[in-house]
Structure formats: structure tokens, C-alpha cells
Amino acid sequence: MKKILRRSTLIYIVALAFIGGLGYLAFELVTGADDWVDQAYNAHIAGDGGLAQAGAIYDRNGTALAQTVDGKRVYNESESVRKSLLHVVGDDSLNISTAVQSMYRSQLIGYNLVFGLNMPESLRASHDIKLTVDSATCAAAYDVLAAYNKKGACVIYNYKTGEVICSVSTMAYDPQAPPEITEDNESEYEGVYLDNVLSSTFTPGSIFKIVTSAAAIENIPDLYDRTWVCNGSENIGGSEVTCTETHGTLTYKEAMAHSCNIVFAKLAVELGSDTMTKTAEKIGINSSFDVDGIKTAKGSYDVSDANENQLGWSGVGQYNDKVNPMQMAIICGAIANGGKVTNPTLIKDESILSALGINYKSSGQELFSSDTAAKLDDVMRYTVSDYYGDNLFGGLTVCAKTGTGEVGDDKNPNGWMVGYSKDEDCPLAFACVVQDSGFGFQYAGPVVETAMIQAAKSLGASAVQ
């Protein structure tokens, strides 16, 4: 009798486990069906590249960026638009994993859990996708950036709504006529499938002085009362820290405007590794940010093994510092937004909430206190008005910082410009990097200026009309 009971119990347990397993598989099928369909290895389910039945992709103004015509994927008629948005839209290959045609493939092809791909056309919801990007702005940024023939990135986003207006990554190719990449030419296309806006990190140089400034503002009470002397170089921690020029006597605001390495190296050493690390981590340098479910590449600030000289250089944006372009745009947007983050999005929200002006994209994450944000806003505005000049950006009121990130003896530095506009009708944060180029103002500056002016025009900003 006991054996029968034990056998019955065992059968009961096995049956429960089987039913539980079926339930789990059913749950995974329902909740993960779209993810399964979106995988590149399932390209066969919808024809060439999985896009033979795909809906159209439009920019914010309704300009077609990609659409299917007679079973073939066709991209925008402008080569500059096609190349500028390669990493946002994608191509037929699905090799660009973060692109819309990869990430939202199931939606584009109209996949349905019940009908698969065979739902009657009359019952299908629209499977077109509208993006937040402005194709004219992306093309304008691309034309300037691509002329350098360098790896780089330019991103502009609305720090109030989260809408990404411009997202351009180079190097790029034409999705309408993709190259055949072989062993013989693969070095020419190294990293071409990687979206540098979202997935790459670069040595920041002086744009990192925003982080050092935040730490100094919050931890050095007499920061604004002090002066420093820059003689072009100084021995700090047993080795030289050099500056691009001899600045003489400087206040903190002047040191930021003129990007004095000596002052910011001294500030980093005075603040110490613990305070610098705490500030960098609070601001999100060592973290990822979310863009429509895609995690940006993490930057890096690690001075755990740094000596005094290396700590000084870390405050200047050198040593082993790394940042991501989208990350820097978000950080600048947070400064403009009183310290709080609004997460970027590339997918246009046409919901009732959006129409009513209700923004649910704001994560509420506080990178800076409101006081620190206000003081950073003031010094970044001073940097433009006192040093770069207000003749830039077509009349927009801009706060910014350039950077020149040294990356080794055999390479030119990374040229950076990051910042934002303060105009009520043009609340845009930006970040641009040109790898292996030179001074940020010289290389990234023209890209940002062109892109910001075009973005402002597209948004109808009064300053550029």
C-alpha cells in the first residue's frame, strides 16, 4: 500500500512538474514571442533580411526613411539622409543590432502571436514606425562629420521631452548599396556596425571638467573666492601636468572657460580619489542610461590605483577616463533640467498623454542638486559668452564645454563639444566627438554648430528664423 501511495505521489509530482513546465513555456511564448521574431537568425521568416513585408519608417516630419516597395526594401532618396541614419534605421543585413529594423522587427513585419505573419491585411494594425529624429538635421550633421573621414558621433536630444532629434555615427555606408565586406577590406570597415552614439566610449579630455567642477562646487566652500596661477606646466605628484598655454592668474570660472589643466588637476588632487569617484558615480559616468530599452555603453572613472599625478590628470579627463556620447548629452541635459534626467527616446510617442503635454519619460533620476546644476549652468554659459563667443549657434543661447582627449603618442586626440541651448522653444542638449582628430572647438564645434542650427530651424525656434 505504501509503495502504491509513493508511486501515486511521484506520478502526481511529475504531472505537476510537466504542467508547470508547459505553463512556463506558454508564458515565455506569449511574453517573448516578439523577441524571438526579432532575432537576426530568423530572417527567413519574412524573406530578404526579414523585411519583405516590413512597414515604413518615418522621421518626425513624416519623411520616409525606409519602406518596402514591390517586396524590396527602399531607403530615402538622399544619400546623406541614408548614410546619416544608417545606425538608427539599419539596413537589410540586420547586422546593426541596435537599429530600429533589428530592435523592432516584429512590429515592422506585423508579426502576430496567433496568426504569425499570415494575419489578414484587413485585420492588421499599422506596422509603420515614426521616429523622433529630424532627417534634415541628421544629414547636415553627417555631411560635416563624414568630411573628416574619422570615427565619430553627434547626438542632439530634447531634454524636456526626451526626443532624439539627431543621432549620427561614423563611419557609415549607404544601406541602399551596402558594401561587400571581405577579409581583404574588413579593416576599412572595422566597427562599421557599431552605433558610436550608443555603444562606444572615448577619452573625454576637458569635457570631464564638468564632473570635476561638480565635485568642487559641492565640496570646496571657498571655490569662487580663490585664484590659481598657471605657468603652462607644473609638477604635481612628482610628474608634470601640462596646459595648452600659460594662463597666468585665474579664478575658477576663468579656469573653466579657458580650460586650464593645472587648475583642474589641482582641484582633483585636493578633492581626493574618494570624492571624485563618488561624484562621477552619482553623475552616472560608471553607469548606463536607457534609450528605448537599449543600454548605453558605460563610461569609466577608476582612480583606485592612481598616484597623485594620475589623479590630477583624471580630473582633466585623461588618465583612464572614458565616456559615451549619449551619456554626455544626458548629463548636459540634466544640468539644463535643474539636475534631473529625462531619458532619451528615438520612437515618436503619439499617445494621448504626449498630446496633452504629459511627459512620462522623465526618470526623475537626480544627477545634480538644483544648486549644483545652477552653478554649472552659469559657468558653462560663461564659457561660451567669455571664450567661445556668442556668434556661434545662429543666435541660440548656448552653454557648452569643449574637450581634447589625448589617446596615445601615435594618435591625434579626440575632439569633443558638449552642452545645451537654454532657449524655451529649443531645449536641446548635445554631444559630439571626432576620434583621432584634434582640438574639440576646431573639429567637433563645426558639426555641433551646423546640427544645432538646423535642429532649431526644424523645431521653429525663434532665434534662428
Side-chain angles (χ1 to χ4, degrees), residues 25 93-94 116 149 152 192 213 234 274 288 299 336 454:
L25 288 173
S93 72
L94 305 179
N149 199 32
V192 75
S213 286
E234 186 165 334
D274 288 347
S288 295
Q454 181 58 55

Side-chain angles (χ1 to χ4, degrees), residues 183-240:
E183 290 183 2
D184 294 331
N185 67 359
E186 62 183 356
S187 61
E188 181 183 347
Y189 295 100
E190 183 180 359
V192 75
Y193 297 133
L194 193 68
D195 185 345
N196 294 319
V197 170
L198 297 172
S199 304
S200 294
T201 60
F202 303 85
T203 301
S206 291
I207 62 168
F208 198 84
K209 289 170 183 171
I210 294 171
V211 179
T212 307
S213 286
I217 288 167
E218 293 176 347
N219 294 281
I220 300 178
D222 63 342
L223 179 67
Y224 288 87
D225 300 324
R226 291 191 191 181
T227 59
W228 293 262
V229 176
C230 169
N231 292 315
S233 67
E234 186 165 334
N235 187 298
I236 297 176
S239 299
E240 292 296 304

Side-chain angles (χ1 to χ4, degrees), residues 137 154-158 163-167 428-430 448 451-452 455:
T137 301
C154 180
V155 58
I156 298 172
Y157 97 109
N158 186 316
E163 293 186 339
V164 176
I165 307 300
C166 174
S167 182
L428 301 178
F430 60 82
V448 170
M452 283 291 287

